[in-house]
Amino acid sequence: MSTLPPLATVEQLEDWLQVPRGSAPADTCALALRVASALVRLEARCTFTRRTDTVALRIVDGQVRLPGPVVSVASVSVAGQTLAASGWWREGDELWVTSPPCDPRRRAVVTLTHGFLTVPDDVLGLTLDVASRGCVNPLSLRQESTGQRSVTFATETLAMSLAEVEKDKLARYRDQTPVARWGRY
């Protein structure tokens, strides 16, 4: 699998941190964004990219749940036979096969384009939150004191990890569709 680009740019992170463009250490920001993006993608089980895949999915009562959001379906095959366009239809992220096979173990092999053209704003914000924690507080300090000056960073140390509330926010992106991928991905 090729390396996916970060979910946000260094410029977006600088804007998020409210620092002048070009003033943040670019290498540190880029690394923090790669790590944060990987954490978010892993938890969401979603790449947040648009792609075309061929997947094998279970047919249940004539219905096939597609990994979404679905943009288009190019072809559908059942039991090695490509179905004509009149043999299936799509409603949102669900595909319906007009004559479902009796064998419940049968799969539909579907070639489709799906995913996100742009990163959703809530995912972008969450990625920037995680990356900024890594940039602003790389040592995961809770509090730092120098003489009479004291700075509190957080009540809990999160650094480059996801808080439970952040994991909860990503739950809606988790695709529950059981998928068998064909070939390399």
Side-chain angles (χ1 to χ4, degrees):
M1 181 178 202
S2 63
T3 303
L4 294 168
L7 295 170
T9 65
V10 171
E11 291 79 18
Q12 289 171 315
L13 182 56
E14 287 175 327
D15 290 346
W16 195 258
L17 293 170
Q18 300 178 17
V19 298
R21 291 271 176 98
S23 65
D27 290 343
T28 301
C29 290
L31 178 59
L33 286 168
R34 283 197 317 269
V35 172
S37 297
L39 288 169
V40 167
R41 284 181 168 125
L42 184 65
E43 183 62 35
R45 297 182 203 121
C46 180
T47 62
F48 298 105
T49 59
R50 173 126 337 140
R51 61 203 178 278
T52 299
D53 286 324
T54 299
V55 294
L57 303 165
R58 210 169 70 147
I59 301 169
V60 178
D61 296 328
Q63 181 183 10
V64 178
R65 176 80 176 120
L66 301 172
V70 176
V71 176
S72 64
V73 174
S75 67
V76 179
S77 299
V78 176
Q81 292 187 325
T82 302
L83 301 180
S86 61
W88 59 272
W89 73 94
R90 179 175 70 90
E91 293 177 4
D93 293 344
E94 295 175 355
L95 182 84
W96 295 86
V97 180
T98 55
S99 55
C102 295
D103 185 353
R105 295 171 293 170
R106 283 270 167 90
R107 305 252 187 249
V109 177
V110 182
T111 300
L112 73 156
T113 300
H114 62 112
F116 297 88
L117 190 56
T118 59
V119 177
D121 286 342
D122 59 334
V123 174
L124 176 64
L126 201 146
T127 303
L128 291 167
D129 275 345
V130 175
S132 66
R133 288 196 299 260
C135 289
V136 172
N137 189 9
L139 298 176
S140 302
L141 300 174
R142 288 180 189 234
Q143 188 173 28
E144 182 177 46
S145 299
T146 306
Q148 293 181 348
R149 183 176 175 268
S150 176
V151 177
T152 300
F153 292 101
T155 55
E156 64 178 291
T157 304
L158 293 172
M160 293 294 289
S161 62
L162 297 173
E164 287 304 313
V165 68
E166 293 168 327
K167 291 177 183 180
D168 292 343
K169 288 179 184 178
L170 293 171
R172 72 186 194 101
Y173 293 103
R174 286 189 202 111
D175 186 7
Q176 301 301 319
T177 306
V179 173
R181 301 206 183 271
W182 296 63
R184 292 182 164 207
Y185 61 95

